[in-house]
Amino acid sequence: MEQKASFISNFKRPYTRTFLFLGTVVLLSLAFQHFFERKIILNSLSSSSYKINRIITSQDQYEIPIFGASRAQGAFIPDSLGPAFFNYGIDGIRDNVILFFLEQECKKQKKTPYTLLTFELEGYTNAIGDPDSYILNCNNPEVKKLLGNEFKPYYNVPFVKYFGKYESYFKDYLNDRMMLTKYKDKGASIEKNVLTPEKFASLVETRKNTATQFRNDNVLETEFIHLFKNNPDRRFIIIIPPYHPSYFEQYLNYNEAVRFLTYLSTFKNIVVLNYSHLFYPDSCYMNTTHLNYKGAIRFNKVVKDTLQKIMSN
Amino acid sequence: MLFNSFAFLIFFIAVTSIYFILPFRYRWSLLLFASCFFYMFFKPEYILILAFTILIDYYAGIRIAAAGSPGMKRRFLVLSLIANIGILAIFKYYNFINSNITGLANLFGFQNHIPYLKILLPIGLSFHTFQAMSYTIEVYKGNQEPERHFGIYSLYVMFYPQLVAGPIERPQNILHQFHEKKEFDYGRVQAGLRLMLLGFFKKVVIADRLAVYVDSVYGDVAHANSISVALAIVFFAFQIYFDFSGYSDIALGSARVMGYDLMKNFDRPFISRNITEFWRRWHISLSTWFNDYLFTPLVIAKRDWGKGAVVFALLITFLISGLWHGAGWTFLIYGLLHGIAVVFEFLTKKRRLKIQKTIPGVIYNPLSQLLTFTFVAFSWIFFRAESFTKVKMIFRQLFSFHVSFNLTQLSAEKGPLNLLLSFFVIFLVYYIEKLYRSRWVTAFSMIVFFLIIILGKDGTKSFIYFQF
């Protein structure tokens, strides 16, 4: 009898300890995740995770969003455009994600009808950028759909879902606060450094040897047109930020792009602002497709004047 | 299947659970099936190579034991060795030898028409062929009874925890364990899991973190300055150690959970005070393999040469050890460098002992440890660089003494946070290993788990030694 009791207690003790251990791990994990999401991820205004979360959750009726990829993120300075602007530009994404942003935006009840979005002269293409950006909101069915094959089963596991990504979120947070190399402002992230003439010349040389052409993804084009048509009360301002002149040296079908932009401008709720040929000195560019801070300041002055005219009409 | 993947996590939990549920008599078949699955995850068709050597060695082992005469025994041993070395020669060294023949032929104005083989090196080939050879050699020496159960013998070669990167086991240590019934032992399971956790920490937090910097510098040596090259050399030393010892810990840990004891592969190599000691602490299963089956027989064969026999055996052993790692001249030089160092230590042993007595231990020991580490780290330049051209570039950049403080250059364009974390994890491991050895079992497990998730690098980077 005594032997039996000791067997049971021996059996129980390690397993109780294991369950206690696992319970503590789960609790600590959840607490850490909560703290990290609130204090780090959602406190980094220019991070892509924050922007995806913001477009889903924000109900600011006066906000004028700017959607686009890195060319939007690095070209528009919200504070210099006005107090209502927020830059949702995300590096590495393309038009399927911009469409997602637009769809989210159009679901909202807004007091201001304006939405700014950039257009790339390569046409509508698909790319989701860094999958890490979507983990915070991966339970949202539309975000999950956007992730497609990039969705990993462990994204369902709290705390573990950020395995290997904590550093990059923390880096975003630090960059937002320290602004060592980039200027940050309400979602905008703009390179402050100016490249040496030699380094820039080598980028120009590479660009001159890169053929570029306009080619729309048909499905995306249809979806965009559908969205524009279905939201007549909204005003979409499509902007093409400046490129470096070298960009056009190997551009094969610029006329096609212009034709499509002209078609878009026939919509009553669309204004197309094509600044692709607004050339600045080399010192205003980060590379042949992106402006730097110096270039962005000059560009925003131009955009602000134009936007004021459009919005006052 | 990589240990540092989620697929392995599921595989390990499934196999271990079924292992303890199954009756003892079926367990070997489960482990064999699991090992085949584990290996076939990489490239399924290469299982045939393993099957071929397993068949030959199984047959050779039985025939060696049954042979009536020493000549007959030797014949079957030679058959086994030819089969194993032949496989290695074809898959690992054929193209290397052929490219050298081409180079030599071109030098003399001839053309080499021998075709190159378009094959990938099977994962862990050098490990399992060496383990297979140690079986037939031990049976030949009479130290091991031949294994008559074909399934158990196959498991000896294929046991998944150590199949692709060792430890290179001896039959005396592991074969009998497959015949013993292993009960579920909470203490062993816990100890095994803790060791696995330490291994994952070493791999995912340290080795993969340091790899970011090292890969960045080695990938663009021209833009690195002397400090960043020096840092990359030091970081690679830590990277390779934590990568390989991390693998070994996971292997030992996962085997321990099921009740099997594999041999220790590392014993704090960076505290070695000379290269001879280093090789007693580094990749122990390979060092002892070479010692038992190559160095000692060579010394015995050339014993008439006196000290010359040892020098000869050392140089041959280290040259072959270099080649074992990879089919390339850089690996050969790596082996030669270590060979020369060990020969130097052998010839100057008495003189060095005299010097040691005149210098206080507090100065002599750290100084010799630093010298040993520096030599090893430098020799690993030949290990890491893909070609002599890269080796030359690294030395040129290192000794250009270009030491300007450029943060972008210094952080190898990976950002200061990565560089800072690289230093941090190296210091962190000292405390983690201390905690591992302490009685704070729960604290260790909890802290390491959190560190793996928070500081770990994802991307399932392969283990360095998988390529061998």
Side-chain angles (χ1 to χ4, degrees), chain A residues 4 32 35 57-58 80 84 90 94-95 104 116 122 132 142 152 162 186 190-191 196 199 203 216 224 230 261-262 276:
Chain A
K4 197 176 176 184
F32 185 86
F35 165 82
T57 57
S58 169
S80 65
I90 296 177
R94 291 309 300 264
D95 304 277
Q104 299 301 315
L116 271 63
E122 286 93 349
D132 298 2
E142 283 158 285
K152 306 276 182 337
Y162 295 120
K186 287 162 81 179
I190 307 161
E191 187 66 44
T196 59
K199 207 159 187 178
L203 291 177
N216 264 350
F224 266 98
N230 282 353
L261 290 171
T262 314
S276 63

Side-chain angles (χ1 to χ4, degrees), chain B residues 246-264:
Chain B
Y247 174 88
S248 297
D249 287 344
I250 301 168
L252 264 74
S254 53
R256 191 175 293 171
V257 167
M258 292 184 286
Y260 299 97
D261 286 315
L262 300 181
M263 70 186 288
K264 193 176 175 181

Side-chain angles (χ1 to χ4, degrees), chain B residues 57-75:
Chain B
D57 296 328
Y58 172 74
Y59 174 72
I62 289 172
R63 293 305 300 262
I64 288 168
S69 65
M72 191 62 94
K73 277 188 175 197
R74 198 171 303 128
R75 221 166 287 163

Side-chain angles (χ1 to χ4, degrees), chain A residues 21-195:
Chain A
F21 169 77
L22 291 176
T24 316
V25 166
V26 170
L27 280 176
L28 283 174
S29 305
L30 291 174
F32 185 86
Q33 179 185 313
H34 181 80
F35 165 82
F36 197 82
E37 284 178 350
R38 296 288 164 275
K39 298 290 171 195
I40 306 293
I41 302 178
L42 297 177
N43 250 335
S44 319
L45 264 60
S46 62
S47 78
S48 42
S49 294
Y50 171 80
K51 289 173 183 174
I52 290 167
N53 185 69
R54 183 180 170 114
I55 195 67
I56 296 168
T57 57
S58 169
Q59 293 301 331
D60 183 350
Q61 295 182 319
Y62 295 95
E63 181 183 90
I64 302 173
I66 305 163
F67 299 135
S70 55
R71 273 169 40 81
Q73 189 184 25
F76 298 101
I77 309 170
D79 266 349
S80 65
L81 295 176
F85 290 87
F86 188 86
N87 190 329
Y88 282 93
I90 296 177
D91 186 21
I93 63 155
R94 291 309 300 264
D95 304 277
N96 53 332
V97 183
I98 297 172
L99 186 69
F100 159 79
F101 273 97
L102 280 172
E103 284 166 351
Q104 299 301 315
E105 175 66 12
C106 292
K107 280 182 201 168
K108 296 176 183 173
Q109 296 290 322
K110 299 290 287 265
K111 292 249 159 61
T112 168
Y114 299 104
T115 299
L116 271 63
L117 64 145
T118 56
F119 180 81
E120 306 300 325
L121 288 182
E122 286 93 349
Y124 289 139
T125 51
N126 291 287
I128 63 156
D130 188 355
D132 298 2
S133 318
Y134 306 88
I135 301 174
L136 179 70
N137 294 96
C138 67
N139 290 329
N140 179 303
E142 283 158 285
V143 174
K144 203 170 183 173
K145 193 179 154 199
L146 208 56
L147 265 173
N149 291 336
E150 294 289 341
F151 182 85
K152 306 276 182 337
Y154 71 89
Y155 287 173
N156 290 316
V157 186
F159 180 64
V160 175
K161 67 180 179 180
Y162 295 120
F163 166 65
K165 338 268 192 222
Y166 285 97
E167 182 192 343
S168 69
Y169 295 125
F170 188 61
K171 212 169 167 178
D172 284 343
Y173 174 79
L174 286 181
N175 283 337
D176 247 34
R177 258 135 204 85
M178 293 163 88
M179 293 201 265
L180 284 176
T181 56
K182 287 183 174 176
Y183 175 81
K184 309 273 178 172
D185 172 46
K186 287 162 81 179
S189 176
I190 307 161
E191 187 66 44
K192 288 200 281 192
N193 294 334
V194 177
L195 289 183

Side-chain angles (χ1 to χ4, degrees), chain A residues 250-313:
Chain A
Q250 286 290 322
Y251 197 96
L252 304 176
N253 55 350
Y254 183 65
N255 288 344
E256 291 286 316
V258 172
R259 197 173 300 143
F260 181 69
L261 290 171
T262 314
Y263 165 67
L264 285 179
S265 57
T266 59
F267 285 74
K268 278 185 180 169
N269 59 343
I270 293 179
V271 177
V272 176
L273 303 175
N274 187 354
Y275 295 109
S276 63
H277 283 72
L278 178 68
F279 299 137
Y280 292 124
D282 288 356
S283 61
C284 291
Y285 293 92
M286 186 179 99
N287 54 39
T288 55
T289 48
H290 295 77
L291 296 171
N292 60 19
Y293 184 56
K294 193 177 164 189
I297 288 177
R298 290 178 69 166
F299 174 58
N300 277 260
K301 275 181 194 155
V302 178
V303 176
K304 190 184 177 181
D305 293 343
T306 317
L307 287 179
Q308 270 173 350
K309 279 176 205 160
I310 294 169
M311 290 175 184
S312 60
N313 283 336

Side-chain angles (χ1 to χ4, degrees), chain A residues 17 21, chain B residues 190 194 439-447:
Chain A
R17 237 177 16 214
F21 169 77
Chain B
Q190 197 190 47
R194 267 197 313 136
R439 59 193 181 87
W440 302 100
V441 177
T442 315
F444 166 83
S445 310
M446 209 172 283
I447 290 170

Side-chain angles (χ1 to χ4, degrees), chain B residues 428-445:
Chain B
L428 190 67
V429 74
Y430 170 77
Y431 294 100
I432 291 299
E433 286 201 324
K434 229 175 158 179
L435 193 62
Y436 173 73
R437 289 193 186 90
S438 75
R439 59 193 181 87
W440 302 100
V441 177
T442 315
F444 166 83
S445 310

Side-chain angles (χ1 to χ4, degrees), chain B residues 446-463:
Chain B
M446 209 172 283
I447 290 170
V448 169
F449 170 76
F450 277 91
L451 286 174
I452 288 172
I453 302 293
I454 295 167
L455 289 180
K457 299 293 282 184
D458 68 342
T460 47
K461 201 173 163 59
S462 182
F463 288 88

